[in-house]
Coordinates of all heavy atoms in Angstrom, one line a residue:
R1 N 96.5 94.5 85.6 CA 96.6 95.7 86.3 C 95.3 96.5 86.2 O 94.5 96.3 85.4 CB 97.7 96.6 85.8 CG 97.5 96.9 84.3 CD 98.6 97.8 83.7 NE 98.3 98.1 82.3 CZ 98.9 99.0 81.6 NH1 99.8 99.8 82.1 NH2 98.6 99.1 80.3
D2 N 95.1 97.4 87.2 CA 94.0 98.4 87.2 C 94.7 99.7 87.4 O 95.0 100.1 88.6 CB 93.0 98.0 88.2 CG 91.7 98.9 88.1 OD1 91.9 100.0 87.6 OD2 90.7 98.4 88.5
K3 N 94.9 100.5 86.4 CA 95.6 101.8 86.5 C 94.8 102.7 87.5 O 95.4 103.4 88.3 CB 95.8 102.4 85.2 CG 96.8 101.7 84.3 CD 97.1 102.5 83.0 CE 98.2 101.9 82.2 NZ 98.4 102.7 80.9
A4 N 93.5 102.7 87.3 CA 92.7 103.7 88.1 C 92.9 103.4 89.6 O 92.8 104.3 90.4 CB 91.3 103.6 87.7
K5 N 93.1 102.2 90.0 CA 93.2 101.8 91.4 C 94.6 101.6 91.8 O 94.8 101.2 93.0 CB 92.3 100.5 91.6 CG 90.8 100.7 91.4 CD 90.1 99.4 91.7 CE 88.6 99.6 91.4 NZ 87.9 98.3 91.7
N6 N 95.5 101.8 90.9 CA 97.0 101.5 91.3 C 97.1 100.1 91.9 O 97.8 100.0 92.9 CB 97.5 102.6 92.2 CG 97.7 103.9 91.5 OD1 98.1 103.9 90.3 ND2 97.4 105.0 92.2
S7 N 96.5 99.1 91.3 CA 96.6 97.8 91.8 C 97.1 96.8 90.7 O 97.0 97.1 89.5 CB 95.2 97.4 92.3 OG 94.2 97.3 91.2
V8 N 97.5 95.7 91.2 CA 98.0 94.6 90.3 C 97.5 93.3 90.9 O 97.5 93.1 92.1 CB 99.5 94.7 90.2 CG1 100.2 94.5 91.5 CG2 100.0 93.7 89.1
N9 N 97.2 92.4 90.0 CA 96.7 91.1 90.4 C 97.6 90.0 89.7 O 98.3 90.2 88.7 CB 95.3 90.9 89.9 CG 94.3 91.9 90.5 OD1 94.3 92.1 91.7 ND2 93.5 92.5 89.6
L10 N 97.6 88.9 90.4 CA 98.3 87.7 89.8 C 97.4 86.5 89.9 O 97.2 86.0 91.0 CB 99.6 87.5 90.6 CG 100.5 86.3 90.0 CD1 101.1 86.8 88.7 CD2 101.6 86.0 91.0
Q11 N 96.9 86.1 88.8 CA 96.1 84.8 88.7 C 97.1 83.7 88.6 O 97.8 83.6 87.6 CB 95.1 84.9 87.6 CG 94.3 83.7 87.4 CD 93.3 83.5 88.6 OE1 92.7 84.4 89.0 NE2 93.3 82.3 89.1
M12 N 97.0 82.8 89.5 CA 97.9 81.6 89.5 C 97.1 80.3 89.4 O 96.3 80.0 90.2 CB 98.7 81.6 90.8 CG 99.5 82.8 91.1 SD 100.6 82.7 92.6 CE 99.3 82.5 93.9
N13 N 97.3 79.7 88.3 CA 96.6 78.4 88.0 C 97.6 77.3 87.9 O 98.8 77.5 87.8 CB 95.9 78.5 86.6 CG 94.8 79.6 86.6 OD1 94.2 79.8 87.6 ND2 94.6 80.2 85.4
S14 N 97.1 76.1 88.0 CA 97.9 74.9 87.9 C 99.1 75.0 88.9 O 100.2 74.7 88.5 CB 98.4 74.6 86.5 OG 97.3 74.5 85.6
L15 N 98.8 75.3 90.1 CA 99.9 75.5 91.1 C 100.6 74.2 91.4 O 100.0 73.1 91.4 CB 99.3 76.1 92.4 CG 99.0 77.6 92.3 CD1 98.0 78.1 93.4 CD2 100.3 78.4 92.3
K16 N 101.9 74.4 91.6 CA 102.8 73.3 92.0 C 103.4 73.5 93.3 O 103.5 74.6 93.8 CB 103.9 73.2 90.9 CG 103.4 73.0 89.5 CD 104.6 73.0 88.5 CE 104.1 72.9 87.1 NZ 105.3 73.0 86.2
P17 N 103.8 72.4 94.0 CA 104.5 72.6 95.3 C 105.7 73.5 95.2 O 106.0 74.2 96.2 CB 104.9 71.2 95.7 CG 103.9 70.3 95.0 CD 103.5 71.0 93.7
E18 N 106.3 73.5 94.1 CA 107.5 74.4 93.9 C 107.1 75.9 93.9 O 108.0 76.7 94.0 CB 108.2 74.1 92.5 CG 108.6 72.6 92.4 CD 107.5 71.8 91.7 OE1 106.6 71.4 92.3 OE2 107.6 71.7 90.4
D19 N 105.8 76.2 93.8 CA 105.4 77.6 93.8 C 105.3 78.1 95.3 O 105.0 79.3 95.5 CB 104.0 77.8 93.1 CG 104.1 77.5 91.7 OD1 105.1 77.9 91.0 OD2 103.2 76.8 91.1
T20 N 105.4 77.2 96.2 CA 105.3 77.6 97.6 C 106.4 78.6 98.0 O 107.6 78.4 97.8 CB 105.5 76.4 98.6 OG1 104.4 75.5 98.3 CG2 105.5 76.8 100.0
A21 N 106.0 79.8 98.5 CA 106.9 80.9 98.8 C 106.1 82.0 99.4 O 104.8 82.0 99.4 CB 107.6 81.4 97.6
V22 N 106.8 83.0 99.9 CA 106.2 84.3 100.3 C 106.2 85.1 99.0 O 107.3 85.3 98.4 CB 106.9 85.0 101.4 CG1 106.3 86.3 101.7 CG2 106.9 84.1 102.7
Y23 N 105.1 85.6 98.7 CA 105.0 86.5 97.5 C 104.9 87.9 97.9 O 104.1 88.3 98.7 CB 103.7 86.1 96.7 CG 103.9 84.8 95.9 CD1 104.0 83.6 96.5 CD2 104.0 84.8 94.5 CE1 104.2 82.4 95.9 CE2 104.2 83.6 93.8 CZ 104.3 82.4 94.5 OH 104.5 81.2 93.8
Y24 N 105.7 88.7 97.2 CA 105.8 90.2 97.6 C 105.4 91.0 96.4 O 105.8 90.8 95.3 CB 107.3 90.5 97.9 CG 107.8 89.9 99.2 CD1 108.5 88.7 99.1 CD2 107.6 90.5 100.4 CE1 109.0 88.1 100.3 CE2 108.1 89.9 101.6 CZ 108.8 88.7 101.5 OH 109.3 88.1 102.6
C25 N 104.6 92.0 96.7 CA 104.2 93.0 95.7 C 105.3 94.0 95.6 O 105.8 94.5 96.6 CB 102.8 93.6 96.0 SG 102.3 94.8 94.9
N26 N 105.6 94.5 94.4 CA 106.6 95.5 94.2 C 106.0 96.6 93.3 O 105.3 96.3 92.3 CB 107.8 94.9 93.6 CG 108.8 95.9 93.1 OD1 108.8 96.2 91.9 ND2 109.6 96.5 94.0
A27 N 106.3 97.8 93.5 CA 106.0 98.9 92.7 C 107.1 99.9 92.5 O 107.8 100.2 93.5 CB 104.7 99.7 93.3
D28 N 107.3 100.3 91.3 CA 108.3 101.3 91.0 C 107.5 102.6 90.6 O 106.9 102.6 89.6 CB 109.2 100.9 89.8 CG 110.2 101.9 89.4 OD1 110.7 102.6 90.2 OD2 110.5 101.9 88.2
L29 N 107.6 103.6 91.5 CA 106.7 104.7 91.4 C 107.4 106.0 92.0 O 108.4 105.9 92.6 CB 105.4 104.5 92.0 CG 105.3 104.1 93.5 CD1 105.4 105.4 94.4 CD2 104.0 103.3 93.8
R30 N 106.8 107.1 91.7 CA 107.2 108.4 92.3 C 106.0 109.0 92.9 O 104.9 108.9 92.4 CB 107.9 109.3 91.3 CG 107.1 109.7 90.1 CD 108.0 110.6 89.2 NE 107.3 110.9 88.0 CZ 107.7 111.8 87.1 NH1 108.8 112.5 87.3 NH2 107.0 112.0 86.0
T31 N 106.2 109.8 93.9 CA 105.1 110.4 94.7 C 104.8 111.9 94.3 O 103.8 112.4 94.8 CB 105.4 110.3 96.2 OG1 106.6 111.0 96.5 CG2 105.5 108.9 96.7
D32 N 105.7 112.5 93.5 CA 105.4 113.8 93.0 C 106.2 114.0 91.7 O 107.1 113.2 91.4 CB 105.7 114.9 94.0 CG 107.2 114.9 94.4 OD1 108.0 115.4 93.6 OD2 107.6 114.5 95.5
W33 N 105.9 115.1 91.0 CA 106.5 115.3 89.7 C 108.0 115.6 89.8 O 108.7 115.4 88.8 CB 105.8 116.4 89.0 CG 106.0 117.8 89.6 CD1 105.3 118.4 90.6 CD2 107.0 118.8 89.2 NE1 105.7 119.6 90.9 CE2 106.8 119.9 90.0 CE3 108.0 118.8 88.2 CZ2 107.6 121.0 89.9 CZ3 108.8 119.9 88.1 CH2 108.6 121.0 88.9
R34 N 108.5 116.1 90.9 CA 109.9 116.4 91.0 C 110.8 115.2 91.5 O 112.0 115.2 91.3 CB 110.1 117.6 92.0 CG 109.4 118.8 91.6 CD 109.7 120.0 92.6 NE 111.1 120.4 92.5 CZ 111.7 121.2 93.3 NH1 110.9 121.8 94.3 NH2 112.9 121.5 93.2
G35 N 110.2 114.3 92.1 CA 110.9 113.2 92.7 C 111.2 112.1 91.6 O 110.7 112.0 90.6
G36 N 112.2 111.3 92.0 CA 112.6 110.2 91.2 C 111.8 108.9 91.5 O 111.1 108.9 92.5
F37 N 111.9 108.0 90.6 CA 111.2 106.7 90.9 C 112.0 105.9 91.9 O 113.2 105.9 92.0 CB 111.1 105.9 89.6 CG 110.1 106.5 88.6 CD1 110.5 107.4 87.7 CD2 108.8 106.0 88.6 CE1 109.6 107.9 86.8 CE2 107.8 106.6 87.8 CZ 108.2 107.5 86.8
R38 N 111.3 105.1 92.7 CA 111.9 104.2 93.7 C 111.0 103.0 93.9 O 109.8 103.1 93.6 CB 112.2 104.9 95.0 CG 110.9 105.5 95.7 CD 111.3 106.0 97.1 NE 111.5 104.9 98.0 CZ 111.8 105.0 99.2 NH1 111.9 106.2 99.8 NH2 112.0 103.9 100.0
D39 N 111.6 102.0 94.4 CA 110.9 100.8 94.7 C 110.2 100.8 96.0 O 110.7 101.2 97.0 CB 111.8 99.6 94.6 CG 112.1 99.0 93.2 OD1 111.2 99.2 92.4 OD2 113.1 98.5 93.0
Y40 N 109.0 100.2 96.0 CA 108.2 100.0 97.3 C 107.8 98.5 97.3 O 107.6 97.9 96.3 CB 107.0 100.9 97.3 CG 107.3 102.4 97.4 CD1 107.5 103.1 96.3 CD2 107.3 103.0 98.7 CE1 107.8 104.5 96.4 CE2 107.6 104.3 98.8 CZ 107.8 105.1 97.6 OH 108.1 106.4 97.7
W41 N 107.8 98.0 98.5 CA 107.5 96.6 98.7 C 106.3 96.4 99.7 O 106.2 97.1 100.7 CB 108.7 95.9 99.2 CG 109.8 95.8 98.2 CD1 110.8 96.7 98.1 CD2 110.0 94.8 97.3 NE1 111.7 96.3 97.1 CE2 111.2 95.1 96.5 CE3 109.4 93.6 96.9 CZ2 111.7 94.3 95.5 CZ3 109.9 92.8 95.9 CH2 111.0 93.2 95.2
G42 N 105.5 95.4 99.4 CA 104.5 95.0 100.3 C 105.1 94.1 101.4 O 106.3 93.7 101.4
Q43 N 104.3 93.7 102.4 CA 104.8 92.9 103.5 C 104.9 91.4 103.2 O 105.5 90.7 103.9 CB 103.8 93.1 104.7 CG 102.5 92.2 104.7 CD 101.5 92.7 103.7 OE1 101.6 93.8 103.0 NE2 100.5 91.9 103.5
G44 N 104.3 91.0 102.1 CA 104.4 89.6 101.6 C 103.1 88.9 102.1 O 102.5 89.1 103.1

C-alpha cells in the first residue's frame, strides 16, 4: 500500500493458469468524518 496516494498494489509472481480471472480492486472507506464506511469497487 501507499497511504499517501490511497493506492494498493498486488505483485503476482509464479502465475498459474488457475489465476486467470478478472481482478477487482476494493476499498472500505468513508468520505467524511460523519459518514460510515462503505465498500467501493473498481471496474476490474
Side-chain angles (χ1 to χ4, degrees):
R1 60 177 177 166
D2 186 333
K3 288 185 176 180
K5 298 180 179 180
N6 289 321
S7 64
V8 62
N9 301 310
L10 185 69
Q11 179 65 46
M12 304 186 293
N13 298 326
S14 301
L15 283 162
K16 305 175 181 179
E18 305 93 274
D19 296 317
T20 296
V22 177
Y23 284 69
Y24 296 91
C25 179
N26 169 260
D28 179 30
L29 57 83
R30 58 178 175 172
T31 58
D32 64 76
W33 69 274
R34 298 184 68 185
F37 288 90
R38 60 171 289 182
D39 276 333
Y40 294 84
W41 293 89
Q43 81 287 352

